[in-house]
Coordinates of all heavy atoms in Angstrom, one line a residue:
M1 N -168.7 51.3 2.2 CA -169.5 51.5 1.0 C -170.8 52.2 1.3 O -171.3 51.8 2.3 CB -169.6 50.2 0.2 CG -170.1 50.4 -1.1 SD -170.1 48.8 -1.9 CE -169.2 49.2 -3.3
S2 N -171.3 53.0 0.4 CA -172.5 53.8 0.6 C -173.7 52.9 0.4 O -173.6 52.0 -0.6 CB -172.5 55.0 -0.2 OG -173.8 55.6 -0.3
D3 N -174.8 53.1 1.0 CA -176.0 52.4 0.8 C -176.7 52.8 -0.5 O -177.5 52.0 -1.1 CB -177.0 52.6 1.9 CG -176.6 51.9 3.2 OD1 -175.8 50.9 3.1 OD2 -177.0 52.3 4.2
S4 N -176.3 54.0 -1.0 CA -177.0 54.4 -2.3 C -176.3 53.9 -3.5 O -176.6 54.4 -4.7 CB -177.1 55.9 -2.2 OG -175.8 56.5 -2.3
V5 N -175.3 53.2 -3.5 CA -174.5 52.7 -4.6 C -174.7 51.1 -4.6 O -174.6 50.4 -3.7 CB -173.0 53.0 -4.5 CG1 -172.3 52.5 -5.7 CG2 -172.8 54.5 -4.3
T6 N -175.0 50.7 -5.8 CA -175.1 49.3 -6.0 C -173.8 48.5 -6.3 O -172.9 49.3 -6.3 CB -176.0 49.0 -7.4 OG1 -175.4 49.6 -8.4 CG2 -177.4 49.6 -7.3
E7 N -173.9 47.3 -6.3 CA -172.6 46.6 -6.4 C -171.7 47.0 -7.6 O -170.5 47.0 -7.6 CB -172.7 45.1 -6.4 CG -173.2 44.5 -5.0 CD -173.4 43.0 -5.1 OE1 -172.9 42.4 -5.9 OE2 -174.1 42.6 -4.1
A8 N -172.4 47.3 -8.7 CA -171.8 47.6 -9.9 C -171.2 49.0 -9.9 O -170.5 49.4 -10.8 CB -172.7 47.5 -11.1
G9 N -171.5 49.8 -8.9 CA -171.0 51.1 -8.8 C -171.9 52.2 -9.2 O -171.5 53.3 -9.1
A10 N -173.1 51.8 -9.8 CA -174.0 52.8 -10.3 C -174.9 53.3 -9.1 O -175.3 52.5 -8.3 CB -174.9 52.3 -11.4
P11 N -175.4 54.5 -9.1 CA -176.3 54.9 -7.9 C -177.5 54.1 -8.0 O -178.1 53.9 -9.1 CB -176.4 56.4 -8.2 CG -175.6 56.8 -9.4 CD -175.0 55.6 -9.9
A12 N -178.1 53.8 -6.9 CA -179.4 53.1 -6.8 C -180.4 54.1 -7.1 O -180.5 55.3 -6.7 CB -179.6 52.5 -5.5
E13 N -181.5 53.7 -7.8 CA -182.6 54.6 -8.2 C -183.9 53.9 -7.5 O -184.1 52.7 -7.5 CB -182.8 54.6 -9.7 CG -181.7 55.3 -10.5 CD -181.9 55.5 -12.0 OE1 -183.2 55.4 -12.3 OE2 -181.0 55.5 -12.7
T14 N -184.7 54.9 -7.1 CA -185.9 54.5 -6.6 C -187.0 54.6 -7.6 O -187.0 55.5 -8.5 CB -186.4 55.3 -5.4 OG1 -186.4 56.6 -5.7 CG2 -185.4 55.1 -4.2
A15 N -187.9 53.6 -7.8 CA -188.9 53.6 -8.9 C -190.1 54.4 -8.4 O -191.2 53.8 -7.9 CB -189.3 52.2 -9.2
V16 N -190.0 55.7 -8.5 CA -191.2 56.5 -8.3 C -191.6 57.3 -9.5 O -190.9 58.1 -9.9 CB -190.8 57.6 -7.2 CG1 -192.0 58.5 -6.9 CG2 -190.3 57.0 -5.9
P17 N -192.7 56.8 -10.1 CA -193.2 57.5 -11.4 C -193.5 58.8 -11.2 O -194.2 59.2 -10.2 CB -194.2 56.5 -11.9 CG -194.8 55.9 -10.6 CD -193.6 55.8 -9.6
G18 N -193.2 59.7 -12.1 CA -193.6 61.1 -12.1 C -195.0 61.3 -12.6 O -195.5 60.3 -13.2
P19 N -195.5 62.5 -12.7 CA -196.9 62.6 -13.2 C -197.0 62.4 -14.8 O -197.9 62.1 -15.3 CB -197.2 64.0 -12.8 CG -195.9 64.7 -12.6 CD -195.0 63.7 -12.1
D20 N -195.9 62.6 -15.4 CA -195.8 62.3 -16.8 C -195.4 60.9 -17.3 O -195.4 60.5 -18.4 CB -194.9 63.4 -17.6 CG -195.4 64.7 -17.4 OD1 -196.6 65.0 -17.3 OD2 -194.6 65.7 -17.3
A21 N -195.1 60.1 -16.3 CA -194.6 58.7 -16.5 C -195.7 57.9 -16.9 O -196.8 58.1 -16.5 CB -193.8 58.1 -15.3
P22 N -195.6 56.9 -17.9 CA -196.6 56.0 -18.3 C -197.0 55.1 -17.2 O -196.3 54.8 -16.3 CB -196.0 55.1 -19.5 CG -194.5 55.2 -19.3 CD -194.4 56.6 -18.5
A23 N -198.3 54.7 -17.2 CA -198.8 53.9 -16.1 C -198.1 52.6 -16.0 O -197.6 52.0 -17.1 CB -200.4 53.7 -16.3
D24 N -198.1 52.0 -14.9 CA -197.4 50.6 -14.7 C -198.2 49.7 -15.5 O -199.4 49.6 -15.5 CB -197.5 50.3 -13.2 CG -196.7 49.0 -12.9 OD1 -196.1 48.5 -13.8 OD2 -196.9 48.6 -11.7
S25 N -197.5 48.8 -16.2 CA -198.0 47.8 -17.1 C -198.8 46.7 -16.3 O -199.7 46.0 -17.0 CB -197.1 47.2 -18.0 OG -196.1 46.5 -17.2
T26 N -198.6 46.5 -15.1 CA -199.3 45.5 -14.3 C -200.7 46.0 -13.8 O -201.5 45.2 -13.5 CB -198.6 45.1 -13.2 OG1 -198.4 46.3 -12.2 CG2 -197.2 44.5 -13.5
S27 N -201.0 47.3 -14.0 CA -202.3 47.8 -13.5 C -203.3 47.6 -14.7 O -203.0 47.4 -15.8 CB -202.3 49.2 -13.2 OG -202.0 50.0 -14.3
E28 N -204.6 47.4 -14.4 CA -205.6 47.1 -15.3 C -206.0 48.4 -16.1 O -206.2 49.5 -15.5 CB -206.9 46.7 -14.6 CG -206.8 45.4 -13.9 CD -207.5 44.3 -14.5 OE1 -208.3 44.7 -15.4 OE2 -207.3 43.2 -14.0
P29 N -206.0 48.3 -17.4 CA -206.3 49.6 -18.1 C -207.8 49.9 -18.0 O -208.6 49.0 -17.7 CB -206.0 49.2 -19.7 CG -205.9 47.7 -19.7 CD -205.6 47.3 -18.2
E30 N -208.2 51.2 -18.2 CA -209.6 51.6 -18.0 C -210.5 51.0 -19.1 O -211.6 50.5 -18.8 CB -209.7 53.1 -18.1 CG -209.2 53.7 -16.8 CD -209.3 55.2 -16.9 OE1 -210.3 55.6 -17.7 OE2 -208.7 55.9 -16.2
D31 N -210.1 50.8 -20.3 CA -210.8 50.3 -21.4 C -210.3 48.8 -21.8 O -209.7 48.6 -22.7 CB -210.7 51.2 -22.6 CG -211.3 52.5 -22.5 OD1 -212.3 52.6 -21.7 OD2 -210.8 53.5 -23.0
D32 N -210.6 47.9 -20.8 CA -210.2 46.6 -21.0 C -211.2 45.8 -22.0 O -212.3 45.6 -21.6 CB -210.1 45.8 -19.6 CG -209.7 44.4 -19.7 OD1 -209.2 44.0 -20.8 OD2 -209.7 43.7 -18.7
P33 N -210.7 45.5 -23.2 CA -211.7 44.8 -24.1 C -212.2 43.4 -23.6 O -213.2 43.1 -24.1 CB -210.8 44.7 -25.4 CG -209.4 44.8 -25.0 CD -209.4 45.6 -23.6
S34 N -211.5 42.8 -22.7 CA -212.0 41.5 -22.3 C -212.9 41.7 -21.1 O -213.5 40.7 -20.5 CB -210.8 40.7 -21.9 OG -210.1 41.2 -20.7
A35 N -213.2 42.9 -20.6 CA -214.1 43.1 -19.5 C -215.6 43.1 -19.9 O -215.9 43.4 -21.1 CB -213.7 44.5 -18.8
P36 N -216.4 42.6 -19.1 CA -217.9 42.5 -19.4 C -218.3 43.9 -19.8 O -218.0 44.9 -19.2 CB -218.5 42.0 -18.2 CG -217.5 41.4 -17.4 CD -216.2 42.0 -17.7
A37 N -219.1 43.9 -20.8 CA -219.8 45.3 -21.3 C -221.2 45.0 -21.6 O -221.5 44.1 -22.3 CB -218.9 45.8 -22.4
P38 N -222.0 46.0 -21.3 CA -223.4 45.8 -21.6 C -223.6 45.9 -23.2 O -223.0 46.6 -23.9 CB -224.1 47.0 -21.0 CG -223.1 47.8 -20.4 CD -221.8 47.1 -20.5
L39 N -224.5 45.1 -23.8 CA -224.8 45.1 -25.1 C -225.8 46.2 -25.5 O -225.9 46.6 -26.7 CB -225.4 43.8 -25.6 CG -224.4 42.6 -25.4 CD1 -225.2 41.3 -25.7 CD2 -223.2 42.8 -26.3
N40 N -226.5 46.8 -24.5 CA -227.5 47.9 -24.7 C -228.5 47.4 -25.8 O -228.9 48.2 -26.6 CB -226.8 49.2 -25.1 CG -226.0 49.5 -24.0 OD1 -226.3 49.5 -22.8 ND2 -224.7 50.2 -24.3
V41 N -229.0 46.1 -25.7 CA -230.0 45.7 -26.6 C -231.3 46.1 -26.1 O -231.7 45.8 -25.0 CB -230.0 44.2 -26.9 CG1 -231.1 43.7 -27.7 CG2 -228.7 43.8 -27.4
P42 N -232.1 46.9 -26.8 CA -233.4 47.4 -26.3 C -234.4 46.2 -26.0 O -234.4 45.2 -26.9 CB -233.9 48.3 -27.4 CG -233.2 48.0 -28.6 CD -232.0 47.4 -28.2
R43 N -235.2 46.3 -25.0 CA -236.1 45.3 -24.7 C -237.5 45.9 -24.7 O -237.9 46.6 -23.9 CB -235.7 44.6 -23.4 CG -234.5 43.9 -23.4 CD -234.1 43.3 -21.9 NE -232.8 42.9 -21.8 CZ -231.7 43.5 -21.7 NH1 -231.8 44.8 -21.5 NH2 -230.5 43.0 -21.7
T44 N -238.3 45.6 -25.6 CA -239.6 46.1 -25.7 C -240.5 45.3 -24.9 O -240.6 44.0 -25.1 CB -240.1 46.1 -27.3 OG1 -239.2 46.6 -28.1 CG2 -241.4 46.7 -27.4
P45 N -241.3 45.9 -24.0 CA -242.3 45.1 -23.3 C -243.4 44.4 -24.1 O -243.7 44.9 -25.1 CB -243.0 46.2 -22.3 CG -242.0 47.4 -22.4 CD -241.3 47.3 -23.7
T46 N -243.6 43.2 -23.7 CA -244.6 42.4 -24.4 C -246.0 42.5 -23.8 O -246.9 42.0 -24.6 CB -244.2 40.9 -24.3 OG1 -244.3 40.4 -22.9 CG2 -242.8 40.6 -24.8
G47 N -246.2 42.9 -22.6 CA -247.5 43.0 -22.0 C -247.7 41.8 -21.1 O -248.7 41.8 -20.4
N48 N -246.9 40.8 -21.2 CA -247.1 39.6 -20.3 C -246.0 39.8 -19.3 O -244.8 39.8 -19.6 CB -246.8 38.4 -21.2 CG -247.0 37.1 -20.3 OD1 -246.4 36.9 -19.3 ND2 -247.9 36.3 -20.8
A49 N -246.4 39.9 -18.0 CA -245.5 40.1 -16.9 C -244.4 39.1 -16.8 O -243.3 39.3 -16.5 CB -246.4 40.3 -15.6
D50 N -244.8 37.9 -17.0 CA -243.8 36.7 -16.9 C -242.8 36.8 -18.0 O -241.6 36.6 -17.7 CB -244.5 35.4 -16.9 CG -245.4 35.1 -15.7 OD1 -245.2 35.7 -14.6 OD2 -246.4 34.4 -15.9
V51 N -243.1 37.1 -19.1 CA -242.2 37.2 -20.3 C -241.3 38.4 -20.1 O -240.1 38.3 -20.3 CB -242.9 37.3 -21.6 CG1 -242.0 37.5 -22.8 CG2 -243.7 35.9 -21.9
D52 N -241.8 39.5 -19.7 CA -241.1 40.8 -19.5 C -240.1 40.6 -18.4 O -239.0 41.1 -18.5 CB -242.1 41.9 -19.2 CG -242.9 42.3 -20.4 OD1 -242.6 41.9 -21.6 OD2 -244.0 43.0 -20.2
A53 N -240.5 39.9 -17.3 CA -239.5 39.7 -16.2 C -238.3 38.8 -16.7 O -237.3 39.0 -16.3 CB -240.2 39.0 -15.1
A54 N -238.7 37.8 -17.5 CA -237.6 36.9 -18.0 C -236.6 37.7 -19.0 O -235.5 37.4 -18.9 CB -238.2 35.7 -18.8
L55 N -237.2 38.6 -19.8 CA -236.5 39.3 -20.8 C -235.6 40.4 -19.9 O -234.4 40.6 -20.3 CB -237.3 40.1 -21.8 CG -238.0 39.1 -22.8 CD1 -238.9 39.9 -23.7 CD2 -236.9 38.2 -23.5
E56 N -236.1 40.9 -19.0 CA -235.3 41.9 -18.2 C -234.2 41.1 -17.4 O -233.1 41.7 -17.2 CB -236.2 42.5 -17.1 CG -236.9 43.8 -17.7 CD -236.2 44.8 -18.3 OE1 -235.1 45.1 -17.8 OE2 -236.6 45.1 -19.5
R57 N -234.3 39.9 -17.1 CA -233.2 39.0 -16.5 C -232.1 39.0 -17.4 O -230.9 38.9 -17.0 CB -233.8 37.7 -16.1 CG -232.8 36.6 -15.7 CD -232.5 36.8 -14.2 NE -231.8 35.6 -13.8 CZ -230.5 35.6 -13.5 NH1 -229.8 36.7 -13.7 NH2 -229.9 34.4 -13.0
L58 N -232.3 39.2 -18.7 CA -231.1 39.1 -19.6 C -230.1 40.2 -19.3 O -228.9 40.0 -19.7 CB -231.6 39.3 -21.1 CG -232.3 37.9 -21.7 CD1 -232.8 38.3 -23.0 CD2 -231.3 36.9 -21.8
A59 N -230.6 41.3 -18.8 CA -229.6 42.4 -18.5 C -228.5 42.0 -17.5 O -227.5 42.6 -17.3 CB -230.4 43.6 -17.9
D60 N -228.9 41.0 -16.6 CA -227.9 40.5 -15.7 C -226.7 39.9 -16.3 O -225.6 39.9 -15.8 CB -228.5 39.4 -14.7 CG -229.6 40.0 -13.9 OD1 -229.7 41.1 -13.8 OD2 -230.5 39.2 -13.4
A61 N -226.8 39.4 -17.6 CA -225.6 38.9 -18.3 C -224.6 40.1 -18.7 O -223.5 39.7 -19.0 CB -226.0 38.0 -19.4
D62 N -225.1 41.3 -18.8 CA -224.2 42.4 -19.2 C -223.0 42.5 -18.4 O -222.0 43.2 -18.9 CB -225.1 43.7 -19.4 CG -226.1 43.7 -20.5 OD1 -225.9 42.8 -21.4 OD2 -226.9 44.6 -20.5
H63 N -223.1 42.2 -17.1 CA -222.0 42.5 -16.1 C -221.3 41.2 -15.8 O -220.5 41.3 -14.9 CB -222.6 43.2 -15.0 CG -223.5 44.4 -15.3 ND1 -222.9 45.6 -15.7 CD2 -224.8 44.7 -15.3 CE1 -223.8 46.5 -16.1 NE2 -224.9 45.9 -15.8
L64 N -221.5 40.2 -16.4 CA -220.8 39.0 -16.2 C -219.8 38.6 -17.3 O -220.1 38.9 -18.4 CB -221.8 37.8 -16.1 CG -222.9 37.9 -15.0 CD1 -223.9 36.7 -15.2 CD2 -222.3 37.9 -13.5
A65 N -218.9 37.8 -16.9 CA -217.9 37.3 -17.9 C -218.7 36.2 -18.7 O -219.7 35.7 -18.2 CB -216.7 36.7 -17.2
T66 N -218.2 35.8 -19.8 CA -219.0 35.0 -20.7 C -219.3 33.7 -20.1 O -220.3 33.0 -20.3 CB -218.3 34.7 -22.0 OG1 -217.0 34.3 -21.8 CG2 -218.3 36.0 -22.8
D67 N -218.4 33.2 -19.2 CA -218.7 31.9 -18.5 C -219.9 31.9 -17.5 O -220.4 30.9 -17.1 CB -217.5 31.3 -17.9 CG -216.9 32.2 -16.8 OD1 -217.3 33.4 -16.7 OD2 -216.0 31.7 -16.0
G68 N -220.3 33.2 -17.2 CA -221.4 33.3 -16.3 C -222.7 33.6 -17.1 O -223.8 33.5 -16.4
H69 N -222.7 33.7 -18.4 CA -223.9 34.0 -19.1 C -224.8 32.7 -19.2 O -226.1 32.8 -19.2 CB -223.5 34.2 -20.6 CG -222.9 35.6 -20.8 ND1 -222.8 36.1 -21.9 CD2 -222.5 36.5 -19.9 CE1 -222.2 37.3 -21.8 NE2 -222.0 37.6 -20.5
I70 N -224.2 31.5 -19.2 CA -225.1 30.3 -19.3 C -226.1 30.2 -18.2 O -227.3 29.8 -18.4 CB -224.2 29.0 -19.4 CG1 -225.0 27.8 -19.7 CG2 -223.4 28.7 -18.2 CD1 -225.4 27.8 -21.2
E71 N -225.7 30.5 -17.1 CA -226.7 30.5 -15.9 C -227.9 31.4 -16.1 O -229.0 31.1 -15.8 CB -226.0 30.9 -14.6 CG -226.9 30.7 -13.4 CD -226.2 31.2 -12.1 OE1 -225.1 31.0 -12.1 OE2 -226.9 31.5 -11.2
V72 N -227.6 32.6 -16.6 CA -228.6 33.6 -16.9 C -229.5 33.1 -18.0 O -230.7 33.1 -18.0 CB -228.1 35.1 -17.2 CG1 -229.0 35.9 -17.7 CG2 -227.3 35.6 -16.0
Y73 N -228.9 32.6 -19.1 CA -229.7 32.2 -20.3 C -230.5 31.0 -19.9 O -231.6 30.9 -20.4 CB -228.7 31.7 -21.4 CG -227.9 32.9 -22.0 CD1 -226.7 32.8 -22.7 CD2 -228.3 34.3 -21.9 CE1 -226.0 33.8 -23.3 CE2 -227.7 35.3 -22.4 CZ -226.5 35.1 -23.1 OH -225.8 36.1 -23.6
E74 N -230.1 30.0 -19.2 CA -230.8 28.9 -18.7 C -232.0 29.4 -17.9 O -233.1 28.8 -17.9 CB -230.0 27.9 -18.0 CG -229.1 27.1 -18.9 CD -228.2 26.1 -18.2 OE1 -228.1 26.2 -16.9 OE2 -227.6 25.2 -18.8
D75 N -231.8 30.3 -17.0 CA -232.8 30.9 -16.2 C -233.9 31.6 -17.0 O -235.1 31.3 -16.8 CB -232.3 31.8 -15.1 CG -233.3 32.3 -14.1 OD1 -234.1 31.4 -13.6 OD2 -233.2 33.5 -13.8
V76 N -233.5 32.3 -18.0 CA -234.4 33.0 -18.9 C -235.2 31.9 -19.6 O -236.4 32.1 -19.9 CB -233.7 34.0 -19.8 CG1 -234.7 34.5 -20.9 CG2 -233.1 35.1 -19.0
H77 N -234.5 31.0 -20.2 CA -235.2 29.9 -21.0 C -236.2 29.2 -20.1 O -237.3 29.1 -20.6 CB -234.1 28.9 -21.5 CG -234.7 27.9 -22.4 ND1 -234.9 26.6 -21.9 CD2 -235.3 27.8 -23.6 CE1 -235.5 25.8 -22.8 NE2 -235.7 26.6 -23.9
R78 N -235.9 28.9 -18.9 CA -236.9 28.3 -18.0 C -238.1 29.2 -17.8 O -239.2 28.7 -17.7 CB -236.1 28.0 -16.6 CG -236.9 27.1 -15.8 CD -236.0 26.8 -14.5 NE -234.7 26.4 -14.7 CZ -233.6 27.1 -14.4 NH1 -233.7 28.3 -13.8 NH2 -232.4 26.7 -14.6
G79 N -237.9 30.4 -17.5 CA -239.0 31.3 -17.3 C -239.9 31.6 -18.6 O -241.1 31.5 -18.4
L80 N -239.3 31.5 -19.7 CA -240.1 31.6 -20.9 C -240.8 30.3 -21.2 O -242.0 30.3 -21.6 CB -239.1 31.9 -22.1 CG -238.5 33.4 -22.2 CD1 -237.6 33.6 -23.3 CD2 -239.6 34.4 -22.3
R81 N -240.3 29.2 -20.9 CA -240.8 28.0 -21.1 C -242.1 27.8 -20.1 O -243.1 27.4 -20.5 CB -239.9 26.8 -20.8 CG -240.5 25.4 -21.2 CD -239.5 24.2 -21.1 NE -238.9 24.3 -19.7 CZ -237.5 24.3 -19.5 NH1 -236.7 24.3 -20.5 NH2 -237.2 24.3 -18.3
D82 N -241.8 28.3 -18.9 CA -243.0 28.2 -17.9 C -244.1 29.2 -18.3 O -245.3 28.8 -18.1 CB -242.4 28.7 -16.5 CG -241.5 27.6 -15.9 OD1 -241.5 26.5 -16.4 OD2 -240.8 28.0 -14.9
A83 N -243.8 30.3 -18.9 CA -244.8 31.3 -19.4 C -245.6 30.6 -20.4 O -246.8 30.8 -20.4 CB -244.2 32.6 -19.9
L84 N -244.9 30.0 -21.4 CA -245.7 29.2 -22.4 C -246.6 28.1 -22.0 O -247.7 27.8 -22.4 CB -244.7 28.7 -23.5 CG -244.1 29.8 -24.4 CD1 -242.9 29.1 -25.3 CD2 -245.1 30.4 -25.3
T85 N -246.1 27.4 -20.9 CA -246.8 26.2 -20.4 C -248.0 26.8 -19.6 O -249.1 26.2 -19.7 CB -246.0 25.5 -19.4 OG1 -244.7 25.0 -20.1 CG2 -246.7 24.4 -18.8
A86 N -247.8 27.9 -18.9 CA -249.0 28.7 -18.4 C -250.1 29.0 -19.4 O -251.3 29.0 -19.0 CB -248.5 29.8 -17.6
L87 N -249.7 29.4 -20.4 CA -250.7 29.7 -21.5 C -251.5 28.6 -21.9 O -252.8 28.7 -22.1 CB -250.0 30.4 -22.8 CG -249.4 31.7 -22.6 CD1 -248.7 32.0 -23.9 CD2 -250.5 32.8 -22.4
D88 N -250.9 27.4 -22.1 CA -251.7 26.2 -22.3 C -252.6 25.7 -21.1 O -253.6 25.1 -21.4 CB -250.6 25.0 -22.6 CG -249.9 25.3 -23.9 OD1 -250.5 26.0 -24.8 OD2 -248.9 24.6 -24.0
A89 N -252.2 26.1 -19.9 CA -253.0 25.7 -18.8 C -254.1 26.6 -18.5 O -255.0 26.2 -17.6 CB -252.1 25.6 -17.6
R90 N -254.2 27.7 -19.0 CA -255.3 28.7 -18.7 C -256.6 28.1 -19.2 O -256.7 27.6 -20.4 CB -255.0 30.1 -19.4 CG -253.9 30.7 -18.7 CD -253.9 32.2 -19.3 NE -252.6 32.8 -18.7 CZ -252.1 33.9 -19.1 NH1 -252.5 34.4 -20.2 NH2 -251.0 34.4 -18.5
P91 N -257.7 28.4 -18.5 CA -259.0 27.9 -19.0 C -259.5 28.8 -20.1 O -259.3 30.0 -20.1 CB -259.9 27.9 -17.7 CG -259.1 29.0 -16.9 CD -257.7 28.9 -17.1
G92 N -260.1 28.1 -21.0 CA -260.6 28.9 -22.1 C -261.9 28.3 -22.5 O -262.5 27.4 -21.8
P93 N -262.4 28.7 -23.6 CA -263.7 28.1 -24.1 C -263.5 26.5 -24.3 O -262.4 26.2 -24.8 CB -264.1 28.8 -25.3 CG -262.8 29.5 -25.8 CD -261.9 29.6 -24.6
P94 N -264.5 25.8 -24.0 CA -264.3 24.3 -24.3 C -264.2 24.1 -25.8 O -264.7 24.8 -26.7 CB -265.6 23.7 -23.8 CG -266.5 24.9 -23.7 CD -265.8 26.1 -23.5
A95 N -263.4 23.0 -26.1 CA -263.2 22.7 -27.4 C -264.4 22.0 -28.0 O -265.1 21.3 -27.3 CB -262.0 21.7 -27.6
P96 N -264.7 22.4 -29.3 CA -265.9 21.8 -29.9 C -265.8 20.3 -29.9 O -264.8 19.7 -30.2 CB -266.0 22.4 -31.2 CG -264.7 23.0 -31.5 CD -264.1 23.2 -30.3
T97 N -266.9 19.7 -29.6 CA -267.0 18.1 -29.7 C -267.6 17.7 -31.0 O -268.6 18.4 -31.4 CB -267.6 17.5 -28.5 OG1 -269.0 18.1 -28.4 CG2 -266.9 17.9 -27.2
R98 N -267.2 16.7 -31.5 CA -267.7 16.2 -32.7 C -268.8 15.1 -32.3 O -268.5 14.3 -31.4 CB -266.7 15.4 -33.6 CG -265.7 16.4 -34.2 CD -264.8 15.7 -35.2 NE -265.7 15.3 -36.3 CZ -265.3 14.2 -37.1 NH1 -264.1 13.7 -36.8 NH2 -266.0 13.9 -38.0
H99 N -269.9 15.2 -32.9 CA -270.9 14.2 -32.6 C -270.7 13.0 -33.5 O -270.4 13.2 -34.7 CB -272.3 14.7 -32.9 CG -272.7 15.9 -32.0 ND1 -272.9 15.7 -30.6 CD2 -272.7 17.3 -32.2 CE1 -273.1 16.9 -30.1 NE2 -273.1 17.8 -31.1
P100 N -270.7 11.8 -33.0 CA -270.5 10.7 -33.9 C -271.5 10.6 -35.0 O -272.7 10.9 -34.8 CB -270.7 9.5 -33.0 CG -271.3 10.0 -31.7 CD -271.1 11.5 -31.7
T101 N -271.1 10.4 -36.2 CA -272.0 10.2 -37.3 C -272.3 8.8 -37.4 O -271.6 7.8 -37.2 CB -271.3 10.8 -38.6 OG1 -270.1 10.0 -38.8 CG2 -271.0 12.2 -38.5
T102 N -273.6 8.6 -37.8 CA -274.1 7.2 -38.0 C -274.2 7.0 -39.5 O -274.6 7.9 -40.2 CB -275.4 7.0 -37.2 OG1 -276.3 8.0 -37.8 CG2 -275.3 7.2 -35.8
T103 N -273.8 5.9 -39.8 CA -273.9 5.5 -41.2 C -275.1 4.6 -41.4 O -275.3 3.7 -40.6 CB -272.6 4.8 -41.7 OG1 -272.3 3.7 -40.9 CG2 -271.5 5.7 -41.7
P104 N -275.9 4.8 -42.3 CA -277.0 3.9 -42.5 C -276.6 2.5 -43.0 O -275.7 2.4 -43.7 CB -277.9 4.6 -43.6 CG -277.1 5.7 -44.2 CD -275.9 5.9 -43.3
Q105 N -277.4 1.5 -42.5 CA -277.0 0.2 -42.9 C -278.0 -0.4 -43.9 O -279.1 -0.3 -44.0 CB -276.9 -0.7 -41.7 CG -275.7 -0.2 -40.9 CD -275.4 -1.3 -39.8 OE1 -275.8 -2.5 -39.8 NE2 -274.4 -1.0 -39.0

């Protein structure tokens, strides 16, 4: 029996796709809707270096799957919270003090 004939008697075919053949369904399509995609949300600088750095960190989430976003969001939240705390800790003019009032007796 010939090697090119299958048991059913039909000639064996090799699976070599031609240039006009559709792509193999097991390969990843170029436009995969479930793939991470940047949101392209504009980030306007605030003038505060700590806040701007935290906001730029949000761009890291653009290239992650959704289960990786939480780490970025928590990091940004921590950075923004630290920036707000630093504003409270900055020295400023002393708070006015109230003089005790005396009541006549």
Side-chain angles (χ1 to χ4, degrees):
M1 191 174 232
S2 170
D3 289 335
S4 65
V5 177
T6 62
E7 288 182 20
E13 294 183 24
T14 57
V16 178
D20 295 331
D24 186 5
S25 62
T26 60
S27 66
E28 298 248 348
E30 288 182 22
D31 295 327
D32 183 6
S34 64
L39 296 175
N40 298 321
V41 175
R43 293 174 190 87
T44 305
T46 64
N48 183 304
D50 294 333
V51 172
D52 291 341
L55 293 177
E56 282 303 313
R57 172 83 165 100
L58 287 173
D60 294 342
D62 286 347
H63 306 289
L64 299 173
T66 52
D67 60 348
H69 289 191
I70 189 73
E71 181 181 340
V72 173
Y73 295 158
E74 286 177 346
D75 187 42
V76 170
H77 181 255
R78 191 177 315 112
L80 293 173
R81 188 177 54 230
D82 291 347
L84 285 173
T85 302
L87 290 174
D88 289 339
R90 288 186 184 162
T97 57
R98 289 189 64 203
H99 297 290
T101 58
T102 57
T103 57
Q105 293 196 8

